[in-house]
Amino acid sequence: MVSCDVCSTNLETNFDVGRQIVAKLFILDDGEDLAHIGMLVRAVIESGGENGQFERIERIRVHAAPDMPLEAYAPVVAQAVADGRLDLAGSVLIAPNRPAGRSLAASAAFAAQSAMVSGVRSLSPRSVEYVRYGGLLLQTVALNAQHGLVGIVDDSAVPDDGAGDVLADVPILTLEDLDQAVQYQSVRVVQEVPDAATDHSLAQARRVVVAGLGFEAEEDLDLARELADVLGAECAGTMPLAIPNGWIGKDEFVGVSGAVIAPEIYVGVGVSGAIQHTAGITGASTIIAINDDEEAPLFKEADYGIVGDLYEVLPQLSDALRAKKNRG
């Protein structure tokens, strides 16, 4: 089944506002399961685009049957585009950077003969800015009003408290039930095994402490976890700590090939700052670097930096923050 929540309010083209709203739209309702709910967002360009606004936004929710994987609904979305129920002309269709989201978006792009880009960072009725070459550059493309555009967004922006106000009392438009359209699919879910690695979301974290290769042993990561605990932050690592070291889970490393994050506070400890990593933290509001190498590239990206041995800095920093927290 494909349903659509419609919000008929004009959107400012400032991407900070737009991304907060999009992030809110990607959040599932209580009791909903990512394994069975796919989410797409369509921003419809105002006719003519003279005022530089989107006319409305729509949340398209793809409900999978209990025994069907979301990816099996890709032809359903493609058919909805082909017969006009999901018209992409003059629109930007946005999907979250998740396996099912990418599959549904690709099918929609093919059916509409639209271009598809990943790593979308900026959005307006006339153009889309997205990341190329692992964050080495940002490229801007003009929108084709006839065919629209499909974009993949890392839903790492945490919406402000008021970002969801536009969703209050939105009417719900339900498209024709399309369950019959997937009966020919031979793909069925026969077993679901929960991933026991983590139950947190780095993408939605407001504060993140990231450990790098400056840590000499796996057990030393407890120093980073202690700092994260004091800060009320999630603790993650760089890619080498996950692959090949195996010190953290594969869903716990930050970078262009891992989690792309946009926290209020990012603390990189023993992180050199290679482009593959920093491309995943460009949305961070405040970057703090702790490293004993004053030439570490991360310092060039940082708002604040501490040059020192992490084995000396972290215990002192954690103790100082804990003492301040206890004083109220």
Side-chain angles (χ1 to χ4, degrees):
M1 178 178 176
V2 178
S3 64
C4 184
D5 304 337
V6 181
C7 177
S8 300
T9 184
N10 285 347
L11 290 179
E12 299 291 341
T13 57
N14 182 308
F15 185 60
D16 289 339
V17 175
R19 186 166 64 167
Q20 288 164 2
I21 294 174
V22 167
K24 183 69 175 183
L25 288 170
F26 283 152
I27 295 175
L28 301 180
D29 297 331
D30 290 341
E32 292 183 331
D33 182 1
L34 271 175
H36 300 104
I37 301 290
M39 198 75 72
L40 304 171
V41 173
R42 179 171 66 163
V44 180
I45 301 171
E46 185 179 47
S47 179
E50 295 88 353
N51 297 324
Q53 290 185 321
F54 290 106
E55 184 176 284
R56 67 183 185 276
I57 54 174
E58 300 171 347
R59 180 167 61 173
I60 300 113
R61 300 153 62 81
V62 181
H63 300 255
D67 63 342
M68 295 286 291
L70 273 168
E71 288 82 350
Y73 283 72
V76 176
V77 173
Q79 185 60 45
V81 172
D83 62 24
R85 280 170 291 177
L86 181 55
D87 187 6
L88 295 193
S91 303
V92 180
L93 185 70
I94 301 170
N97 191 12
R98 301 168 184 163
R102 294 191 294 269
S103 179
L104 299 177
S107 65
F110 177 80
Q113 295 297 288
S114 296
M116 177 173 165
V117 297
S118 60
V120 172
R121 293 294 176 87
S122 179
L123 179 64
S124 81
R126 298 185 183 89
S127 65
V128 171
E129 184 180 64
Y130 63 102
V131 175
R132 293 293 304 276
Y133 308 119
L136 290 176
L137 61 85
L138 293 176
Q139 181 164 309
T140 300
V141 295
L143 290 180
N144 184 314
Q146 179 180 355
H147 297 294
L149 187 107
V150 177
I152 302 296
V153 176
D154 292 291
D155 51 329
S156 57
V158 178
D160 287 345
D161 293 338
D165 293 346
V166 296
L167 301 179
D169 301 321
V170 295
I172 297 178
L173 170 65
T174 301
L175 304 179
E176 178 185 349
D177 193 316
L178 300 176
D179 286 345
Q180 294 300 317
V182 296
Q183 293 306 308
Y184 69 89
Q185 291 284 343
S186 60
V187 180
R188 290 288 185 274
V189 176
V190 296
Q191 184 182 17
E192 293 183 356
V193 180
D195 185 355
T198 59
D199 60 358
H200 58 255
S201 172
L202 287 176
Q204 296 295 332
R206 292 182 179 273
R207 299 175 180 179
V208 179
V209 174
V210 177
L213 285 175
F215 287 83
E216 298 174 358
E218 181 178 358
E219 56 268 24
D220 297 342
L221 295 180
D222 286 342
L223 293 171
R225 296 187 182 103
E226 181 182 10
L227 177 62
D229 182 63
V230 175
L231 287 173
E234 296 289 352
C235 190
T238 56
M239 180 177 171
L241 267 61
I243 307 169
N245 286 17
W247 294 358
I248 60 174
K250 293 181 180 179
D251 59 345
E252 294 181 287
F253 76 85
V254 174
V256 69
S257 57
V260 176
I261 61 175
E264 294 174 359
I265 298 175
Y266 160 96
V267 183
V269 185
V271 176
S272 64
I275 185 62
Q276 293 85 352
H277 177 72
T278 57
I281 64 170
T282 56
S285 299
T286 300
I287 296 176
I288 302 170
I290 302 173
N291 202 301
D292 60 2
D293 179 7
E294 62 182 18
E295 300 297 327
L298 187 61
F299 282 121
K300 296 180 180 179
E301 308 291 334
D303 299 284
Y304 303 95
I306 299 175
V307 178
D309 185 340
L310 69 87
Y311 288 93
E312 297 178 1
V313 173
L314 288 194
Q316 294 180 49
L317 184 58
S318 295
D319 288 345
L321 290 172
R322 188 179 297 106
K324 182 177 180 180
K325 186 176 181 181
N326 292 337
R327 290 196 301 267

